[in-house]
């Protein structure tokens, strides 16, 4: 890798969109037209559908260009942690690469160990692990909802939404409540006749980087006899129980949103994953033992899906050890990087929805049509981020998402701050003060 963070060599030529075929029907043309923005980016933009040729720490090579990576979800840097990497071969020696029993047919004892450690970490009654959160939402939401009514966060993650669609196809009704609005949920629940109620929402939001007020949502759900189902994919490993001794506002131990808000698991089901902070392919549902045992026979992935690879199970077990010994230090680094970026944005008067100092920082553009140019400029400066294009997000939110990890270096964050400063100077980003006064005017009762 070149000594400087940014390579001066020209990068590989951009890919071209596929030529249109004469055999294509008109409906295909119409459908493709509606996705034109995103497809143009995917086919021609170096930061979309990119092939990563090589990594070196948190630097990645795409073609000839080396970039600092701010698009991965490996918040604690476990993917690169030497202690975790060194722990894996012994597990492979013992278990081979991949036990291909589905879990109902044969669960290596590693699963029992993971579920026991996880249960202790979360402070819940019990936990069941399955390969991914997507598997959990698609199978568990329909079971919990049965033919009752689901109250779905209007901006819930796509995988929660899809789980609710499966539930609907099996007879559940779905109502949407406004994002971050427990009062609206309260209104909908109060008006609902159906006694079987399930509330589905995100924990730490994957775009705004903020956690919902879980205490308020749990209180509303309990008051109306509903079960609250929360997906904290991005919070697990990052936020945890609060303590006067905590080194940063993320709290301690990374034991997720329920503990972070000092809430109990009474009528709350927590879903989370190891594929973000723990850099492994595994996910969990924290629930009472009775529910766990029922899910073992009723949730299809426990029987019908293949299990996680042994390297993933080993990564989780080694990750628990590292989390216990060095987790606070890693979260301290993560917080320091995130706080530096947020402080610079504030200094530049650049808008971001992030109010939490968590490591997910979305930066919307002033003009949604500039996404291609802004992405190219960031790429040229050696900064790799997630582009959020229309129609994946509403036009007013088109921009890019920065994710920081404990494995990023200060020099990489410097590079990011310089690029963001340049974009602000060029007038590409939204003004924070203009946003504040616009939202003050929209507030009920504003003059
Ligand atoms: C909030 C949220 N839920 C679920 C998922 C999907 O997780 P998994 O890969 O474990 O299916 C993601 C992935 O990005 C996510 O951000």
């Amino acid at each position: 890798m070149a000594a400087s963070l940014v390579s001066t060599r020209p990068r590989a030529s951009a890919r071209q969109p596929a030529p249109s075929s004469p055999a294509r029907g008109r409906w295909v043309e119409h459908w493709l037209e509606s996705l034109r923005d995103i497809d143009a980016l995917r086919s021609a933009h170096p930061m979309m559908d990119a092939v990563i040729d090589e990594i070196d720490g948190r630097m990645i090579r795409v073609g000839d260009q080396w970039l600092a990576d701010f698009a991965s979800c490996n918040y604690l840097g476990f993917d690169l942690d030497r202690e975790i990497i060194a722990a894996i071969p012994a597990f492979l020696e013992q278990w081979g690469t991949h036990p291909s029993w589905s879990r109902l047919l044969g669960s290596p004892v590693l699963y029992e160990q993971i579920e026991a450690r996880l249960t202790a970490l979360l402070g819940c009654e019990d936990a069941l692990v399955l390969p991914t959160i997507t598997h959990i939402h698609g199978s568990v939401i329909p079971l919990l909802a049965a033919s009752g009514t689901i109250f779905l966060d209007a901006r819930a993650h796509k995988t929660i939404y899809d789980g609710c669609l499966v539930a609907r196809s099996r007879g559940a009704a779905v109502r949407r409540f406004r994002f971050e609005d427990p009062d609206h949920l309260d209104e909908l629940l109060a008006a609902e006749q159906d006694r079987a109620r399930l509330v589905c929402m995100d924990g730490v939001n994957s775009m705004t980087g903020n956690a919902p007020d879980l205490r308020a949502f749990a209180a509303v759900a309990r008051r109306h006899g509903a079960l609250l189902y929360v997906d904290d994919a991005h919070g697990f490993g990052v936020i945890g129980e609060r303590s006067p001794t905590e080194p940063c506002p993320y709290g301690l131990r990374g034991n997720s949103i329920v503990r972070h808000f000092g809430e109990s698991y009474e009528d709350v089901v927590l879903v989370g994953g190891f594929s973000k902070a723990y850099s492994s392919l595994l996910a969990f549902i924290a629930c009472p033992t009775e529910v766990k045992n029922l899910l073992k026979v009723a949730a299809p992935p426990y029987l019908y899906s293949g299990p996680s690879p042994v390297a993933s199970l080993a990564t989780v077990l080694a990750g628990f050890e590292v989390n216990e010994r060095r987790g606070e230090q890693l979260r301290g680094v993560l917080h320091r990087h995130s706080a530096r970026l947020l402080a610079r944005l504030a200094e530049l008067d650049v808008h971001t929805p992030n109010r939490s100092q968590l490591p997910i920082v979305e930066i919307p553009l002033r003009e949604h049509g500039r996404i291609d140019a802004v992405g190219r400029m960031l790429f040229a400066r050696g900064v790799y981020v997630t582009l959020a294009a229309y129609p994946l997000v509403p036009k007013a939110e088109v921009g890019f998402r920065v994710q920081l990890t404990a494995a990023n270096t200060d020099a990489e964050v410097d590079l990011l701050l310089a690029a963001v400063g340049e974009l602000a100077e060029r007038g590409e980003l939204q003004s924070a003060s203009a946003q504040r006064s616009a939202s003050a005017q929209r507030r009920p009762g504003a003059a």
Side-chain angles (χ1 to χ4, degrees):
M1 194 189 106
S4 84
L5 289 174
V6 184
S7 161
T8 50
R9 282 172 288 171
R11 67 171 191 80
S13 61
R15 285 155 288 156
Q16 296 303 311
S20 87
S21 137
R24 233 182 223 169
R26 272 180 57 211
W27 71 268
V28 177
E29 294 295 344
H30 177 74
W31 180 75
L32 289 173
E33 178 58 23
S34 68
L35 297 173
R36 195 170 47 78
D37 275 22
I38 187 75
D39 189 52
L41 273 182
R42 189 206 61 78
S43 57
H45 201 283
M47 277 201 285
M48 274 276 188
D49 201 16
V51 175
I52 317 283
D53 294 295
E54 190 182 348
I55 68 167
D56 180 352
R58 207 46 100 223
M59 295 297 289
I60 61 174
R61 182 170 65 77
V62 178
D64 288 335
Q65 176 76 312
W66 280 97
L67 306 111
D69 177 18
F70 294 103
S72 91
C73 301
N74 299 290
Y75 301 119
L76 295 176
F78 282 3
D79 55 321
L80 301 170
D81 192 287
R82 298 317 309 178
E83 185 181 338
I84 293 177
I85 294 169
I88 294 171
F91 286 87
L92 298 179
E93 281 300 324
Q94 205 175 351
W95 293 97
T97 58
H98 189 63
S100 69
W101 304 288
S102 72
R103 282 207 61 196
L104 188 65
L105 303 184
S107 266
V109 69
L110 303 177
Y111 282 104
E112 301 297 310
Q113 293 165 2
I114 289 172
E115 287 172 353
R117 283 209 69 162
L118 180 63
T119 298
L121 176 65
L122 297 175
C124 55
E125 182 180 322
D126 212 334
L128 177 71
V129 299
L130 288 168
T132 69
I133 298 180
T134 307
H135 281 98
I136 293 176
H137 291 335
S139 59
V140 175
I141 293 176
L143 283 171
L144 295 178
S147 56
T149 301
I150 299 175
F151 297 83
L152 172 63
D153 179 347
R155 300 198 60 174
H157 191 263
K158 175 83 168 85
T159 53
I160 305 178
Y161 178 84
D162 287 349
C164 293
L165 289 189
V166 177
R168 192 165 68 182
S169 74
R170 305 217 187 126
V174 180
R175 315 224 182 292
R176 313 286 295 264
F177 62 91
R178 284 192 296 270
F179 181 54
E180 293 187 339
D181 193 342
D183 294 339
H184 188 221
L185 175 63
D186 195 22
E187 267 171 47
L188 294 183
L189 280 163
E192 182 57 56
Q193 302 293 316
D194 195 342
R195 302 316 300 164
R197 298 134 178 245
L198 177 69
V199 176
C200 292
M201 62 185 296
D202 289 76
V204 171
N205 187 276
S206 61
M207 291 304 290
T208 66
N210 300 321
D213 181 352
L214 196 74
R215 251 183 241 130
F217 281 102
V220 169
R222 288 185 189 122
R223 188 159 61 246
H224 294 284
L227 176 66
L228 179 60
Y229 178 100
V230 185
D231 170 353
D232 199 28
H234 293 269
F236 176 66
V238 178
I239 57 170
E241 62 196 62
R242 308 305 302 266
S243 156
T245 65
E246 64 192 24
C248 78
Y250 297 170
L252 297 178
R253 304 184 72 205
N255 50 8
S256 199
I257 188 164
V258 174
R259 297 300 298 274
H260 188 70
F261 279 92
E263 260 301 332
S264 83
Y265 292 94
E266 190 191 334
D267 295 328
V268 174
V269 162
L270 174 71
V271 172
F274 293 90
S275 77
K276 315 247 181 260
Y278 276 67
S279 307
S280 174
L281 189 78
L282 197 66
F284 67 83
I285 170 162
C287 58
T289 307
E290 251 183 307
V291 174
K292 170 179 171 169
N293 288 336
L294 189 70
L295 292 178
K296 283 186 170 185
V297 285
Y302 199 76
L303 172 61
Y304 293 101
S305 300
S308 293
V310 167
S312 283
L313 305 180
T315 304
V316 169
L317 285 167
F320 284 141
E321 296 291 330
V322 171
N323 182 55
E324 207 156 289
R325 274 184 287 105
R326 287 192 275 119
E328 307 324 329
Q329 178 216 332
L330 294 170
R331 279 180 281 276
V333 174
L334 187 59
H335 176 254
R336 183 165 55 77
H337 288 331
S338 308
R340 267 191 82 198
L341 171 60
L342 290 161
R344 182 68 186 133
L345 293 179
E347 217 171 75
L348 293 164
D349 188 35
V350 167
H351 170 61
T352 171
N354 184 307
R355 308 181 297 268
S356 63
Q357 301 196 16
L358 288 170
I360 302 170
V361 182
E362 190 200 348
I363 304 179
L365 304 189
R366 207 161 50 80
E367 263 289 319
H368 73 89
R370 296 286 300 158
I371 183 75
D372 180 50
V374 166
R376 282 175 197 286
M377 181 253 167
L378 288 168
F379 192 91
R381 300 294 181 273
V383 173
Y384 196 84
V385 293
T386 302
L387 298 184
Y390 177 79
L392 299 184
V393 296
K395 284 184 176 164
E397 291 169 30
V398 163
F400 57 95
R401 179 181 69 174
V402 176
Q403 282 159 297
L404 300 120
T405 74
N408 282 117
T409 63
D410 286 331
E412 289 161 12
V413 177
D414 289 343
L415 195 68
L416 170 68
L417 299 193
V420 168
E422 191 179 336
L423 285 174
E425 207 169 286
R426 292 185 185 184
E428 297 282 12
L429 309 177
Q430 295 180 11
S431 147
S433 40
Q435 276 288 332
R436 274 194 297 274
S437 47
S439 58
Q441 273 172 12
R442 281 195 301 270
R443 223 170 281 142

